[in-house]
Structures are given as C-alpha cells and as structure tokens.
Amino acid sequence: MAEESDFADKVPPSFYEMGNKIIYETEAKGLNPGLIVLLVVVGLLLIFLVGNYILYSYAQKTLPPRKKKPVSKKKMKRERLKQGVSAPGE
C-alpha cells in the first residue's frame, strides 16, 4: 500500500496532462511486433521454398531416370497388330 502512495503524485512519462487535453508523446520504440512475426513467417516460407527447389534440382541431376513398367505380352501383340507387323509364331 505504501507503493501506491509513492506514485500517486507522479505523472506517467508517456503523456502529460494540460488542462482537459492529453498530449501523448510518440517515440520510435522499434519495430511493431506484428511486423516482426510477419517477417519471420515470410522468411521461413522463403527458405523452405528455396530449399525445396535446390533439393529438386539436385535430385534431377543425380538420380537415374525412372524405369518404365514392363509391357505385357498381350499389349505388345496388340501394338504390333496395330502397326501391321505379325506377331512371331502366328
């Protein structure tokens, strides 16, 4: 309770009272916290996307091409008949 009486006669440093008007002192206190969060999120997203692109390009250079599925004999016969070549053994 003694602490409250110590500050009762002091005016907070953020504003001064002049009659009925209150004049607020505006000082640059650094960056807005919302802006900091936005910059961090955008930075992380950018790092993620750039990292993915680097990994993708590295994988394209180093990994062998995918193997195609083997074509069944039935499909091979059908393709040869479409081209006009008779299947062997017929």
Side-chain angles (χ1 to χ4, degrees):
M1 294 296 176
E3 294 173 2
E4 290 179 10
S5 62
D6 291 344
F7 296 109
D9 58 340
K10 294 184 181 178
V11 177
S14 62
F15 62 91
Y16 296 104
E17 198 171 67
M18 295 176 59
N20 291 335
K21 296 181 182 179
I22 297 176
I23 298 174
Y24 291 94
E25 289 183 10
T26 56
E27 296 179 13
K29 297 180 182 178
L31 295 175
N32 185 0
L35 181 63
I36 293 172
V37 170
L38 182 66
L39 289 175
V40 168
V41 169
V42 169
L44 290 175
L45 182 65
L46 191 63
I47 289 170
F48 176 75
L49 293 175
V50 169
N52 275 346
Y53 177 74
I54 291 170
L55 285 174
Y56 175 76
S57 60
Y58 174 74
Q60 291 296 316
K61 291 176 188 175
T62 58
L63 291 176
R66 287 186 179 178
K67 294 182 180 179
K68 294 183 179 179
K69 290 182 179 178
V71 181
S72 67
K73 291 181 182 178
K74 195 175 188 180
K75 285 185 181 180
M76 285 178 60
K77 278 185 185 179
R78 193 177 304 145
E79 286 295 322
R80 286 185 183 164
L81 288 174
K82 281 183 184 178
Q83 293 176 0
V85 178
S86 62
E90 290 183 2

